[in-house]
Each structure stands twice: as C-alpha cells, then as structure tokens.
Amino acid sequence: MVERAPQLRGGGYAVDFRGAAHRSVLAKMGILDQIKEQQTHLRATTYVDEHSRPVAAMPASIFAGDVEILRGDLGRILYGATRDDTEYLFGDSITSLRQDDDGVHVTFAQSAPRTFDLVIGADGLHSAVRRLAFGGQPDQVTDLGLYVSIFGVPDRYGLDHEGQLYSGPGKTAAVFSAPGTGQAIAQFFFTAPGGEPIDFDYRDTGQQQKILASVYQDVGWHVPDLLGQMPAADDFYFDSVSQVKLDRWSSGRIALTGDAGYAAGPGGNGTGTAVVAAYVLAGELAAARGDYRVAYDRYERLLRPYVARGQKQASGGADFLAPSTAKKIAQRDRFFRMLPYLPPARLLVKHLSTRTATAIKLPEYP
Ligand SMILES: Cc1cc2nc3c(=O)[nH]c(=O)nc-3n(C[C@H](O)[C@H](O)[C@H](O)COP(=O)(O)OP(=O)(O)OC[C@H]3O[C@@H](n4cnc5c(N)ncnc54)[C@H](O)[C@@H]3O)c2cc1C
C-alpha cells in the first residue's frame, strides 16, 4: 500500500454506508461493529436563515445513510485491520509503471524500484496510476460544475449531533458536529462563478483558500467566522466535484478501483461503492486463482451497472447542494418542510436514498 501522505490521513468529512450490500461487505471484512461504535449518530440536518433560525429540516437518512462515520475514523479502522499483514509505504508515490510477462516494474518517488504481480490503483480522483497506465484515454474526468471545500474548525457553534446549512444562490456553507473530536466540520459547496470553470492547482492550498474567501466574501451567517479559522486548519480540502469515466478499468496487470476508476461525487455512494468494489475485485482474483485477465473482466462486468447508477444519482448534486437561484432554494426548502406531512413521500425518499446502493447481487467468494 503506497500512500502519498506522510502518515495516516485524519480529518475530512463524514462518509456513510447504506443498504444491505454495503453492510454485508463490512460485516465480511469484520469491521462493521467497529464502524458502528464510531458512527457520528447525526440526528438532523437543518437549513437555516442567516440568523441560524431553522427554515427546513432534512431527514438524517439522506445525508447520513444507515451508518455514518468520519473519513479519518474509517481510515484508522481499515489501517488497524490490515497493518499486521500489509506493507505500508507512507510518504511515497508511484512515478512509473512498466509491465511485461514477469510483472509490473514500479519506480517510486522515494523507495527503490520493485516488481509486483499486479498493481491496483486506489489513489482517488487525481490518480497517478490512472495517469501513468491509462493516460491515452480522452475525457476521463468530467467536472460537474460544483466545487467543495472542507476543514475542521473549533467546535463553538452549539451543535449536538447535527448539521446546519445556509444557502445563497450558487453557494452553500455548512457546519456539522464531529462528535468526540472537539471540532466541528465546515463545508462549502459552490457552483463556478459566472459558469466558467475555476482554474486552480489542486496541490496549492494558499491559492485555493484565496478562491474560497473571494467566492464567499459577501456571505453572512457563520461564514466570516469559519473563513477566519481557515488558515489554521491542518486538514484543509478543496476540489472540483468530478466524475471519472473510463472505457476500461484495467490495462494488463494494472487495475483501478474506487474514485481512481469511477469517482461519482457527493451523493453517489462513493465510499460504499469503493468498499463493495474492493470485495468483488479481491473475490474475483481469489476465484480465478490469480488469473488476473479473467478476474478483471468479471470485476468490471459485475460493477459497471452499479457504478453507473451511482454516477447518475450524483450528477444532480449541484442542484441539491448549491441551488443556483433564490427560487430554487425556496423550492428545496419547501419540499423538506412538506416532507414530514407526506408519509408516502418520506418513505419514497428513504427508498430512493438506498435503492442505488443496494442495486447489486454480490457473489459469495471462496
Ligand atoms: C465533498 C465530498 C463529500 C463526500 N461525501 C460522501 C458521503 O457522504 N458518502 C460517501 O459514500 N461518499 C462521499 N464522498 C465520496 C467519497 O469520498 C469517495 O468516493 C471515496 O473517498 C473514494 O475512496 P477512494 O479510496 O477511492 O479515494 P480517496 O478517498 O480519495 O483516497 C485516495 C487515497 O490515495 C492517496 N493518494 C492520492 N494520490 C496519490 C499518489 N499519487 N500516490 C500515493 N497516494 C495517493 C490519497 O492521499 C488518499 O489517501 C464524498 C466526496 C466528496 C468530495
């Protein structure tokens, strides 16, 4: 396992698992109970006006699924479950890949070159493995026109297992509790100002903070205070919301999984999909007794329809997270105000929020 960060990455937003497929894989991995112990128990997400008065409330199941956990806590659990029999190289990354009949010859930024039977790229939206092994394919990454920034702030907003969101046209700011951390999590979702994509360097934090401050300079509520905390945050995250679409998820001995191969964006069950996909990939490799061609083909055939549904669901994310006009914000708020009085609609929302996550029949593997 090669991780660019110098140590296990903490911080980040909350991710969730929903429905039987996600839960059954976590149970087979033996980590479902640990995840439940660390879950955030988010109770409500409330849309507020600039004086923090509630305007509408969203059912917890939409944002938090069946079980929600902070990304850093999930990372710690996965690391704890694997570190005794997996070699981890922190603070390193892959710089070249060359494959032949003997394996994949890999060079690293720090470590000495090595040869492996297979290489699985699980290095996220900006995957280096994808660039090195699949660089020839055009239009791999589609920008959904939405930007996101997330960072930890001191917990002084009086939140108790809840989140508050404040929306202006094309700009939402939010603050969520992060129970047990002494912190709260600030989140910002905004559409490209003027509809033009923002040109930014995804590794230049200073530049990204300037962009965020400029987009939100005229926004009230807690925003000036949250932005004031931004320079002190050690977990600042900023990115465009993008989807990855490839014709093939493998190239010879090299395959992609998770966001590296098929990022969906918020609302697309990315974390649950990554976990389910890892289970299928490992299971198919075991079932094919290491015949990676057979395994990669079956992995792709099983997962493609599932991934496509998640990506379709997430492609409406901007309308939901940062509605572009005051009228659309009012419509969204009205919908959530009506929801408690419409029991069938409430059930429908719950059904829709798990339907995509459960749309796969998982094989049992040896
Ligand atoms: C704002 C936001 C909110 C989201 N909310 C949810 C949610 O509520 N529920 C949900 O299910 N999903 C959510 N997602 C999606 C989810 O975060 C991803 O789908 C999921 O994290 C994918 O996991 P991954 O392991 O494939 O990639 P990542 O989580 O991106 O992990 C990639 C890892 O690779 C490392 N890395 C990157 N480049 C290199 C390199 N060159 N060399 C070595 N290491 C490298 C990174 O440091 C990182 O540790 C959200 C996404 C965003 C952007």
Side-chain angles (χ1 to χ4, degrees):
M1 180 72 83
V2 188
E3 167 59 54
R4 190 176 55 201
Q7 71 253 332
L8 202 58
R9 289 177 60 183
Y13 43 87
V15 296
D16 61 85
F17 298 99
R18 49 187 78 207
H22 294 181
R23 281 198 314 269
S24 74
V25 172
L26 296 172
K28 285 179 211 288
M29 291 166 80
I31 59 170
L32 181 58
D33 289 342
Q34 269 174 287
I35 287 178
K36 283 184 176 165
E37 275 163 28
Q38 305 262 329
Q39 66 182 304
T40 61
H41 290 291
L42 190 79
R43 279 199 302 258
T45 306
T46 311
Y47 292 108
V48 295
D49 67 13
E50 63 179 344
H51 305 292
S52 290
R53 288 182 301 228
V55 179
M58 187 161 48
S61 61
I62 296 186
F63 243 74
D66 298 345
V67 46
E68 187 190 61
I69 181 166
L70 298 178
R71 195 183 177 290
D73 290 338
L74 177 63
R76 262 188 294 280
I77 292 172
L78 291 169
Y79 179 59
T82 53
R83 69 173 159 205
D84 288 343
D85 48 20
T86 305
E87 181 186 353
Y88 275 83
L89 289 181
F90 283 103
D92 209 344
S93 65
I94 293 174
T95 49
S96 78
L97 295 163
R98 185 178 59 78
Q99 48 183 322
D100 57 27
D101 290 347
D102 298 330
V104 190
H105 309 287
V106 181
T107 59
F108 298 95
Q110 305 296 335
S111 311
R114 283 163 73 170
T115 298
F116 298 87
D117 294 323
L118 306 173
V119 170
I120 310 296
D123 47 351
L125 181 61
H126 303 286
S127 169
V129 174
R130 187 180 69 234
R131 178 171 39 79
L132 293 170
F134 298 77
Q137 290 195 29
D139 297 335
Q140 297 174 339
V141 181
T142 313
D143 193 334
L144 296 183
L146 184 69
Y147 297 83
V148 58
S149 181
I150 298 174
F151 48 91
V153 292
D155 183 9
R156 60 180 187 213
Y157 303 95
L159 300 172
D160 178 14
H161 296 87
E162 62 187 312
Q164 290 187 350
L165 291 99
Y166 172 67
S167 289
K171 298 172 198 179
T172 291
V175 59
F176 282 81
S177 349
T181 65
Q183 287 223 300
I185 300 171
Q187 301 196 5
F188 298 82
F189 296 98
F190 61 97
T191 47
E196 285 300 312
I198 300 176
D199 190 17
F200 71 98
D201 176 349
Y202 76 92
R203 292 198 188 158
D204 185 345
T205 301
Q207 180 204 38
Q208 297 160 12
Q209 295 195 347
K210 276 194 198 133
I211 294 171
L212 191 67
S214 132
V215 171
Y216 282 84
Q217 60 181 332
D218 55 351
V219 182
W221 188 58
H222 294 313
V223 168
D225 190 54
L226 295 170
L227 292 178
Q229 313 297 331
M230 178 169 68
D234 60 7
D235 57 354
F236 180 81
Y237 169 85
F238 180 100
D239 213 336
S240 61
V241 173
S242 305
Q243 294 193 330
V244 174
K245 292 186 178 169
L246 293 173
D247 293 340
R248 289 274 306 156
W249 296 344
S250 65
S251 166
R253 295 169 176 271
I254 303 165
L256 299 171
T257 186
D259 277 12
Y262 31 80
N269 305 326
T271 308
T273 300
V275 165
V276 165
Y279 167 74
V280 171
L281 181 54
E284 291 300 340
L285 281 166
R289 297 181 180 278
D291 184 340
Y292 62 87
R293 292 182 193 86
V294 172
Y296 287 170
D297 269 1
R298 283 192 47 82
Y299 156 67
E300 189 154 340
R301 245 183 297 142
L302 261 159
L303 257 299
R304 275 228 177 243
Y306 188 61
V307 161
R309 289 181 79 136
Q311 290 190 323
K312 187 167 173 216
Q313 180 168 278
S315 55
D319 286 348
F320 178 68
L321 289 165
S324 56
T325 61
K327 191 173 165 199
K328 286 185 178 167
I329 294 171
Q331 279 170 347
R332 180 199 63 190
D333 294 349
R334 202 162 42 244
F335 171 77
F336 284 116
R337 271 200 303 277
M338 298 295 293
L339 208 54
Y341 305 104
L342 302 168
R346 219 166 55 202
L347 285 175
L348 182 68
V349 166
K350 186 158 175 46
H351 168 69
L352 289 177
S353 65
T354 53
R355 192 180 54 168
T356 312
T358 51
I360 188 164
K361 192 166 169 352
L362 287 175
E364 288 294 330
Y365 292 110

